[in-house]
Amino acid sequence: MQKLLLLGDEAVAQGAIDAGLSGIYGYPGTPSTEIMEYVQRSKEAAERNIKRKWSANEKTAMEAALGLAYAGKRSMVCMKHVGLNVASDPFMNAAITGVNGGLIVAVADDPSMHSSQNEQDSRFYGKFALVPVLEPGNQQEAYDMAYKGFELSEKYRIPVMLRLTTRLSHSRAGVKRFSVKEQNKLILPEDPKQFVLLPSVARVRYKHLLANQPNFGEESDGSGFNKYYDGEDKSLGIIACGIAYNYLMENYPGRNINHPVLKLSQYPIPKKMIDRMTNENKEILVLEDGAPFVEEMLKGFQEKGTPVRGRLSGDIPRDGELNPNIVGKALGIEQKIGLPVPEVVKNRPPGMCKGCGHIDVFNALIEALGEKLEGRVFSDIGCYTLGALPPFNAINSCVDMGASVTMAIGAADAGLFPSMAVIGDSTFTHSGITGLLDAVIKNSPITLIISDNLTTGMTGGQESAATGRLQSICEGLGIDPVHLRKIEPLKKYHDKNVKVLKEELDYHGVSVILAERECIQTTARKHKEEAKKQQVATNQSKRVV
Amino acid sequence: MKNDIILAGVGGQGILTIAATIGMAVLHQDLNLKQAEVHGMSQRGGAVQSHLRISDAEIASDLIPLGNATLILSVEPMESLRYLPYLSDQGWLVTNSNPMVNIPDYPDVTKLKEEIEKISHSLILDAKKIAKKAGSTRSSNIVMLGAASPFIDIPVESFEFGIGKIFGRKGEEMVNLNLEAFRAGRAFVLENRIN
């Protein structure tokens, strides 16, 4: 079979489809978005009627995925690392309930924070929940692990985490496929109480989870995803996790590495292989993308036993993603470098697109607040976070999905008036609604702008759950219709918009301003599609003639 | 055979299309490929790069090590210089001369050109002009692919196969426009190449 050229994310998606996936759930977030998008585009997924719509947030996605697995089907949920914080409640408890059909939780971490507010390492969550974690090192493994991860999940009736990092998620390589499996039939759990986590049931389920830990460890030792390569030079043993293995090998052309190497891609850590590593080698170097997860475990608090080097010892920088040069340096291998970057080269940070509606929102907000602009605009996660940069310098926070609304409430409680929040439409339906309900209940003097571009813009224009619903959501939450205002963020309405904003900033209660204008990237895409359709129509009419 | 290519540009300039086209050409040749790209926030007009590695042997790292790139292919002059630490001492830098000015402190273009000309193996060309002459001002990126193609160890037919695959969905006219753009870029470099 010819290889497919796939991103790591896409390889996960194809692996899941081929393994008999029945449904995938998720919320867009770089670098995980392409997993769902691939399934949405896939003709096979359409033919096989795989459920594949975005959810309102990662928590609802995780729960829906668990429900599908409850009914015996193979299920996947995908998210970025910080999305797992949102989904952590069902994630932690799904480890206790276990599953019926296979469930894979695909989480993409973002070391170096290319597109994120932190670089938390999801392997900690895997260990926290006591579930197996798979960490592919290349695109083929991403495919294989998605495919075989379901077998592992169903063998122990346990959710399995598949941990990716940006560099693998967004790197393409050839991938070979396995044979395509049928989907599972709908079968309810044998034990009708399995998912009822009353304390009496939960205690039993938790003991069951604990009893399975040695089995998960043995799986890691024998699965084939973890490999021990012996080497003659035992002055140093190397543990390379996931993609770090590639950076290690890059430093040894022709693979002639003399040290013992443990390629680590499945957790909990394989006890036998780790014992061999520490017993046979004088010193251990741990290479891992993300936090010093394995290093810390091996080192322990008292640092007895075989010395361990890595991010904690300073051999590898404590933060940021790995690359071949960092790994090479830690091994004492001389690294080449090209020419320095000339001084004339300036930074080119991302910015809002020319003609973007958020720009008009910020311009109106800046004028309406005037001298009071500084320090009182709480914002959120999305393209409009770029409002923090020049020329706007307009926002003072970006913490987590939905935090603009609730931080504005807290600051208003402290006496800040006006206290403002700016949030996007999709972020609002993700996690802003409950915060706004708080504001209504407390009658907090805050002004919220929902900058509605009718899409999930920053991740590439996915459907937004908010589209067409914002007014009725706000009314339903109990926003006073007098203080539920609409503006159209266009330059020509600037003065009018400033006036509306000023009126609401003066109001000592909850006001919401809906600023609606379609994302210009979406508009451009629609134009392109329209042109394509016309082109096809013209070609067809030519043929008829 | 081993080519390590850094593709450079600004989000929205079409470097992912170049990458995808080379990817198709590589598949046509049955070589190994790894190609790391940038998605997400930087795509909004920020500096973006893609690491593209082609080899007849297995490729380990998705990222090119510093000092190892055999080619920097840039669709923007300032961006071509940003990745110089990656360029090997024998590597080529091939860049479009048309600046993308979307920052307030964009440098003087003549200074950029001076820096580019300091590189021992560099080529700077006006891809916009060549694209216009070839019939499509929007095909500057494919002109640049054509211009860089003599420095990539893949036969012309495979590049043209790649263009057919990538633009095929958009109709025959788009395929032909981009083939013209590719050939014009390649011809320009072959005529003006200084070895």
Side-chain angles (χ1 to χ4, degrees):
Chain A
M1 194 187 276
Q2 208 204 343
K3 283 185 179 180
L4 294 174
L5 193 54
L6 299 178
L7 294 174
D9 276 354
E10 297 172 339
V12 168
Q14 186 68 55
I17 292 171
D18 292 349
L21 184 75
S22 292
I24 177 165
Y25 304 85
Y27 183 82
T30 314
S32 70
T33 313
E34 293 80 2
I35 304 174
M36 171 71 94
E37 288 190 321
Y38 184 86
V39 183
Q40 290 180 337
R41 274 200 317 271
S42 160
K43 274 183 196 156
E44 287 165 301
E47 283 160 13
R48 293 162 73 89
N49 195 25
I50 295 174
K51 304 289 180 223
R52 52 193 199 286
K53 274 203 181 294
W54 291 112
S55 302
N57 64 38
E58 293 86 354
K59 178 178 182 285
T60 64
M62 176 78 213
E63 290 155 350
L66 184 62
L68 187 73
Y70 166 93
K73 303 272 190 174
R74 289 192 164 179
S75 174
M76 179 173 267
V77 55
C78 52
M79 62 196 74
K80 67 184 295 176
H81 57 338
V82 286
L84 185 53
N85 296 332
V86 179
S88 60
D89 196 356
F91 173 73
M92 292 300 297
N93 291 312
I96 316 273
T97 62
V99 296
N100 186 21
L103 171 60
I104 293 182
V105 183
V107 189
D109 292 355
D110 191 15
S112 277
M113 304 176 229
H114 298 280
S115 252
S116 306
Q117 65 272 46
N118 76 27
E119 58 171 31
Q120 67 185 55
D121 187 325
S122 297
R123 292 178 299 171
F124 284 103
Y125 264 119
K127 186 168 157 48
F128 192 19
L130 302 170
V131 300
V133 177
L134 303 172
E135 186 188 10
N138 57 45
Q139 293 77 356
Q140 185 65 55
E141 270 188 351
Y143 175 91
D144 296 354
M145 286 179 172
Y147 191 88
K148 292 184 178 160
F150 284 110
E151 290 165 20
L152 180 65
S153 173
E154 286 175 1
K155 184 172 175 186
Y156 295 98
R157 309 270 159 194
I158 186 81
V160 169
M161 178 189 283
L162 203 156
R163 184 228 186 194
L164 298 150
T165 51
T166 308
R167 208 46 78 175
L168 180 59
S169 286
H170 289 168
S171 175
R172 231 175 267 280
V175 171
K176 262 191 255 162
R177 291 171 67 179
F178 296 135
S179 61
V180 179
K181 288 188 179 170
E182 286 301 312
Q183 291 181 33
N184 290 353
K185 294 209 164 58
L186 191 158
I187 299 170
L188 294 178
E190 273 171 36
D191 173 6
K193 295 249 163 48
Q194 183 190 333
F195 289 78
V196 188
L197 293 185
L198 278 167
S200 57
V201 179
R203 283 181 208 117
V204 176
R205 295 291 319 166
Y206 187 51
K207 278 191 200 298
H208 175 71
L209 175 64
L210 292 174
N212 255 332
Q213 294 306 304
N215 297 332
F216 297 166
E218 270 174 38
E219 289 288 341
S220 293
D221 263 312
S223 73
F225 288 131
N226 291 331
K227 292 192 184 81
Y228 196 102
Y229 302 98
D230 204 6
E232 278 171 24
D233 185 353
K234 296 193 170 28
S235 62
L236 182 74
I238 303 165
I239 299 176
C241 306
I243 201 167
Y245 181 74
N246 303 349
Y247 302 141
L248 173 66
M249 285 304 138
E250 186 68 33
N251 280 282
Y252 294 93
R255 301 287 186 275
N256 51 0
I257 180 163
N258 219 4
H259 299 285
V261 175
L262 168 56
K263 180 187 175 300
L264 184 51
S265 281
Q266 182 170 342
Y267 309 82
I269 53 170
K271 193 169 180 320
K272 285 177 201 147
M273 287 176 173
I274 295 281
D275 279 349
R276 185 174 172 197
M277 233 321 122
T278 49
N279 289 338
E280 292 184 9
N281 296 288
K282 273 199 183 137
E283 210 178 23
I284 307 288
L285 175 68
V286 183
L287 306 170
E288 48 193 331
D289 224 349
F293 174 76
V294 172
E295 186 186 355
E296 203 168 45
M297 259 191 282
L298 296 193
K299 206 167 191 156
F301 186 66
Q302 300 192 17
E303 297 199 30
K304 286 180 179 165
T306 317
V308 182
R309 296 199 279 128
R311 289 187 185 268
L312 292 172
S313 66
D315 290 78
I316 308 271
R318 178 63 182 80
D319 62 334
E321 76 171 319
L322 295 176
N323 61 42
N325 300 107
I326 289 174
V327 169
K329 251 189 226 165
L331 287 156
I333 297 167
E334 202 188 322
Q335 300 295 301
K336 282 203 284 186
I337 186 155
L339 299 164
V341 181
E343 264 177 40
V344 65
V345 176
K346 298 283 179 276
N347 277 338
R348 196 192 301 260
M352 283 180 271
C353 309
K354 213 173 159 189
C356 170
H358 295 318
I359 293 175
D360 295 295
V361 167
F362 281 121
N363 284 337
L365 175 157
I366 288 164
E367 192 177 328
L369 278 168
E371 285 174 1
K372 288 183 185 165
L373 174 67
E374 212 170 313
R376 60 183 74 241
V377 183
F378 300 91
S379 195
D380 233 295
I381 317 276
C383 289
Y384 47 91
T385 315
L386 295 167
L389 306 178
F392 308 104
N393 303 311
I395 64 166
N396 308 102
S397 80
C398 158
V399 181
D400 68 276
M401 299 285 280
S404 59
V405 186
T406 29
M407 282 182 74
I409 294 173
D413 283 347
L416 190 73
F417 183 83
S419 180
M420 254 203 113
V422 179
I423 193 170
D425 51 319
S426 186
T427 306
F428 177 71
T429 43
H430 178 290
S431 287
I433 296 176
T434 41
L436 188 57
L437 181 62
D438 277 352
V440 170
I441 289 164
K442 295 169 204 274
N443 193 28
S444 302
I446 65 161
T447 305
L448 169 66
I449 299 179
I450 305 179
S451 194
D452 181 9
N453 59 3
L454 304 162
T455 188
T456 312
M458 198 170 69
T459 46
Q462 294 76 20
E463 261 179 42
S464 162
T467 301
R469 298 188 179 92
L470 286 179
Q471 184 171 349
S472 48
I473 289 172
C474 292
E475 283 168 355
L477 289 173
I479 302 292
D480 181 351
V482 179
H483 296 286
L484 178 57
R485 310 286 296 266
K486 272 191 170 179
I487 63 171
E488 196 178 345
L490 278 168
K491 213 174 182 180
K492 59 179 175 184
Y493 300 131
H494 177 77
D495 293 341
K496 211 165 107 186
N497 294 344
V498 170
K499 189 168 167 278
V500 171
L501 277 173
K502 277 187 171 164
E503 285 166 10
E504 295 310 323
L505 285 168
D506 283 340
Y507 172 60
H508 279 262
V510 189
S511 48
V512 177
I513 293 146
L514 304 177
E516 180 188 310
R517 181 150 73 82
E518 188 176 61
C519 169
I520 62 151
Q521 298 282 353
T522 308
T523 313
R525 207 162 27 238
K526 279 184 184 166
H527 282 314
K528 261 189 199 167
E529 276 162 22
E530 202 51 45
K532 214 195 300 179
K533 266 185 211 157
Q534 277 179 357
Q535 178 74 30
V536 172
T538 331
N539 288 351
Q540 276 172 347
S541 66
K542 269 184 202 161
R543 258 173 238 149
V544 173
V545 172
Chain B
M1 176 269 175
K2 195 176 171 209
N3 286 180
D4 282 341
I5 307 165
I6 300 269
L7 298 173
V10 178
Q13 280 194 312
I15 71 161
L16 292 185
T17 309
I18 299 179
T21 310
I22 301 176
M24 279 296 169
V26 171
L27 274 194
H28 191 238
Q29 282 293 305
D30 206 20
L31 292 163
N32 292 306
L33 169 92
K34 278 202 174 179
Q35 183 229 322
E37 18 184 272
V38 173
H39 293 200
M41 201 179 230
S42 303
Q43 282 180 288
R44 300 278 169 264
V48 291
Q49 98 285 28
S50 167
H51 290 219
L52 212 151
R53 316 193 72 187
I54 309 165
S55 176
D56 49 11
E58 203 186 321
I59 302 161
S61 168
D62 297 77
L63 294 173
I64 298 167
L66 296 173
N68 271 273
T70 51
L71 172 68
I72 291 176
L73 163 51
S74 179
V75 292
E76 208 277 344
M78 184 173 81
E79 295 309 318
S80 75
L81 296 167
R82 195 181 299 281
Y83 307 100
L84 283 183
Y86 284 96
L87 194 61
S88 82
D89 42 15
Q90 290 304 310
W92 275 86
L93 184 152
V94 181
T95 183
N96 183 7
S97 64
N98 293 280
M100 165 71 138
V101 183
N102 65 351
I103 48 169
D105 55 348
Y106 194 91
D108 183 0
V109 179
T110 52
K111 279 197 183 136
L112 289 173
K113 284 187 182 161
E114 277 169 32
E115 290 292 343
I116 291 163
E117 277 155 11
K118 276 188 204 165
I119 316 293
S120 46
H121 307 285
S122 69
L123 264 175
I124 179 161
L125 61 147
D126 186 344
K128 202 166 146 189
K129 199 166 123 195
I130 298 169
K132 202 173 169 188
K133 233 166 129 186
S136 167
T137 46
R138 292 178 59 198
S139 299
S140 285
N141 56 341
I142 299 301
V143 167
M144 287 311 302
L145 175 60
S149 63
F151 307 100
I152 306 172
D153 299 322
I154 295 175
V156 180
E157 311 84 73
S158 292
F159 281 112
E160 299 200 346
F161 167 85
I163 290 169
K165 277 272 175 191
I166 293 297
F167 294 97
R169 281 178 302 164
K170 294 177 181 167
E172 207 176 314
E173 201 181 332
M174 279 298 282
V175 173
N176 288 332
L177 271 178
N178 282 288
L179 282 175
E180 286 306 314
F182 174 83
R183 287 168 191 158
R186 185 176 171 91
F188 180 88
V189 166
L190 291 178
E191 281 159 25
N192 295 282
R193 186 168 170 178
I194 314 138
N195 276 314

